[in-house]
Every structure is written in structure tokens, then in C-alpha cells.
Amino acid sequence: MNFRLSPPWLMVLSSFLFATMGVCVKLASQQYSAGEIVFYRGLIGALFIAGIARWRGGTLRTSVPMMHVWRSLVGVSALVLWFYAIGKLPLATAITLNYMSSVWMALFLIGGAVLLGASRVDGRLIATVLVGFAGVALVLKPSVGSDQLIGALCGLVSGMLSALAYLQVTALGRVGEPEYRVVFYFSLGGLLAGGTLALSDSGFHGHTLTGALLLIATGLLATSAQILMTRAYAIGRVLTNASLQYLGIAWSFLFGVLVFHDPITGSALMGMGLIIAAGLAATLLRHKAAPDAPEPTDT
């Protein structure tokens, strides 16, 4: 697809679409389970990407099917947990916890260095992780009640799994898999896993016009946002893109206040700021260590 927008504007639009998707997921969760939403998101995404691949003359055939299986398993698990968290938590809180993926990756780098017997660990990475989790504490303390702890835990784990999924996307890129094929098999995995979860839980619910429109919007918004973000990272500056990606937290905070009347607290705002700072610092350190490494473009 050809985009006339510059990379910064692609990222601004992508972050807005992802936040809008979060609104649709939260509204849809009043009628559908997380498994159902993931199923329909995967169905629409797979059809959308298949249509784009056919239009561009690409192929969905892959020589590394098991890599896609493992990537989809981790990524879809992250997506299910994230959608569950969105349904249970204030919108900005759930979105912010998922954006912890960069901080989790810094923690993985520290763990890898320790396991490999490194004589010293980069203190900046340790500081990044500590700042990130301090931000989590500030975000959760004022906005999460005792009945929302499971949702908060799901949000945290979704961020950690998103970091693992990023590593798998990186590996797929290194073996030559194009982004659209990675997104297609991720969507296909969501379709299968979401359908299985829905059937094992309460089954599929009947549709209302509003519910169906929310599910369609979720799939279209998520896939469009992925495509825009992928294009931005392909032609833009990594650090600029990473900075603008965090606009998703600002958009979700605004939507949470306007649509769901979520409360505004100073500690939550401070926590979001710390998580953004930690995520940007982790991205900067990772980019300096491996400047050619691609950035995550989807969960």
C-alpha cells in the first residue's frame, strides 16, 4: 500500500486508531467475552490482510510455519489477556500496562546478561526497569479496586507476553518473512484461539446491530493501525516513531475520561509519565545496542 503521510503522521494516526480500538473493545466486552472479541478481530484481520496480499500480488505461503505457530501462540495469549484487562479496568490503565512491553524487554536483557555470565549489567537498564515498575505502582494504586486485581494482573502479563512476541517477530523478519504475512498468521491464530476460548466458555452470543458494528470496527481499526505503524517503522526514524507511539496512552486517557467518565488522579498521570519515560529509555538503549533491529508493530 502507498501512503502519502510522513512517518510521524502515520504514527499519530496509528496510535489514535489503536486507542479507538480500545474503546470499541471495552464497549463490546459488555456483550461479548474476550475470546469472542479476539475471534472476530482475527477473522476480520485475516480477511483484510488476505485481500491486501492478493491485491499486491503477494503470497501467504510460508516456509517457516512453526515459527508462526509459536509467534501466534504468544501474541494471541497477550491479546486475550489485554482485551480482558480492557473490559475490567479503566481504559487508560489497561492500555498503559500493555505499553510496559519495552520495560519487560529491558528486564529480559538484564536476565540474559546474568545467565550468560556477564561481569556487569548496564545500570541504565536496571534503572529503566525500576522506573517502569514504579510507574505501574502509581497507575494501579489509585485506579484499581480489589475487584479489579485479576484484570490488572492480566494487563501486566499481556505486556510481558507482548515483549516475547516482539522477539519472535524479530526472528521472523530475519528469515525474510514480510510484515503482512506475520500479521496474517497472527490474525489466523487469533481466530482459532478466540473461537476455541469462546466455545469452551459460554459459547458465542447473539448479535445486536451495535455489537456487530463494534466487532467489525475492532478488527478494521486494529489491522489498519498495524499497517500504518509497520509502514512508519519501515521508512521513519525508530526513536521518533517510538516516542509518538506512546501517544496511544494520551488518546486512551482522553477517551477514558470523555466516554467512560474515568476519574483523573495526579498519581495515575505521574505513573503514566514514568512508564512512558521508561519505555522510551529502554527503546533508546536497545536501539544503541542493535540499531538494525526492527521494532514491534503489533501484539
Side-chain angles (χ1 to χ4, degrees):
M1 299 181 70
N2 294 319
F3 299 103
R4 297 183 182 277
L5 293 175
S6 63
W9 282 110
L10 290 173
M11 288 302 301
V12 170
L13 182 56
S14 174
S15 67
F16 177 78
L17 294 181
F18 270 127
T20 307
M21 178 211 72
V23 174
C24 294
V25 170
K26 191 167 183 65
L27 291 172
S29 66
Q30 299 173 11
Q31 183 175 344
Y32 304 99
S33 67
E36 288 176 279
I37 300 173
V38 170
F39 169 82
Y40 289 110
R41 181 245 185 271
L43 174 62
I44 294 168
L47 292 175
F48 192 0
I49 295 297
I52 290 176
R54 181 177 180 84
W55 175 55
R56 295 175 60 181
T59 177
L60 299 174
R61 185 176 301 172
T62 179
S63 60
V64 287
M66 288 310 299
M67 292 184 69
H68 285 285
V69 169
W70 287 113
R71 181 267 180 277
S72 295
L73 180 63
V74 174
V76 170
S77 297
L79 190 65
V80 172
L81 292 172
W82 188 33
F83 280 7
Y84 178 84
I86 289 175
K88 300 297 182 181
L89 300 175
L91 181 62
T93 301
I95 298 291
T96 301
L97 292 177
N98 188 259
Y99 273 88
M100 277 285 291
S101 56
S102 292
V103 178
W104 282 112
M105 289 180 63
L107 186 60
F108 294 159
L109 287 175
I110 294 172
V114 172
L115 290 176
L116 293 174
S119 58
R120 60 186 298 272
V121 178
D122 192 336
R124 295 172 299 176
L125 281 177
I126 296 176
T128 293
V129 171
L130 293 177
V131 169
F133 281 100
V136 169
L138 287 171
V139 166
L140 295 185
K141 184 177 179 181
S143 58
V144 174
S146 58
D147 58 333
Q148 298 174 315
L149 291 178
I150 294 179
L153 180 61
C154 288
L156 272 174
V157 175
S158 76
M160 181 183 68
L161 291 178
S162 294
L164 291 175
Y166 155 74
L167 297 176
Q168 293 170 319
V169 170
T170 301
L172 283 164
R174 287 174 177 167
V175 299
E177 289 292 270
E179 292 88 350
Y180 73 85
R181 195 179 297 157
V182 176
V183 175
F184 172 79
Y185 284 107
F186 169 65
S187 298
L188 194 62
L191 186 157
L192 296 174
T196 301
L197 284 174
L199 290 174
S200 63
D201 185 15
S202 55
F204 284 88
H205 292 82
H207 296 295
T208 62
L209 177 60
T210 300
L213 290 175
L214 287 171
L215 293 174
I216 293 171
T218 295
L220 293 177
L221 288 167
T223 307
S224 299
Q226 285 179 344
I227 293 172
L228 292 173
M229 187 179 292
T230 298
R231 179 60 177 168
Y233 273 112
I235 64 176
R237 297 175 181 269
V238 171
L239 296 180
T240 301
N241 289 334
S243 300
L244 292 172
Q245 185 176 347
Y246 281 94
L247 280 174
I249 293 179
W251 290 123
S252 63
F253 181 81
L254 181 62
F255 285 144
V257 172
L258 295 179
V259 180
F260 303 106
H261 308 292
D262 292 337
I264 301 174
T265 63
S267 55
L269 289 174
M270 186 180 298
M272 290 176 190
L274 289 178
I275 290 173
I276 292 172
L280 290 175
T283 300
L284 175 61
L285 293 172
R286 189 172 70 248
H287 182 60
K288 286 183 175 179
D292 296 325
E295 289 297 306
T297 56
D298 59 287
T299 299

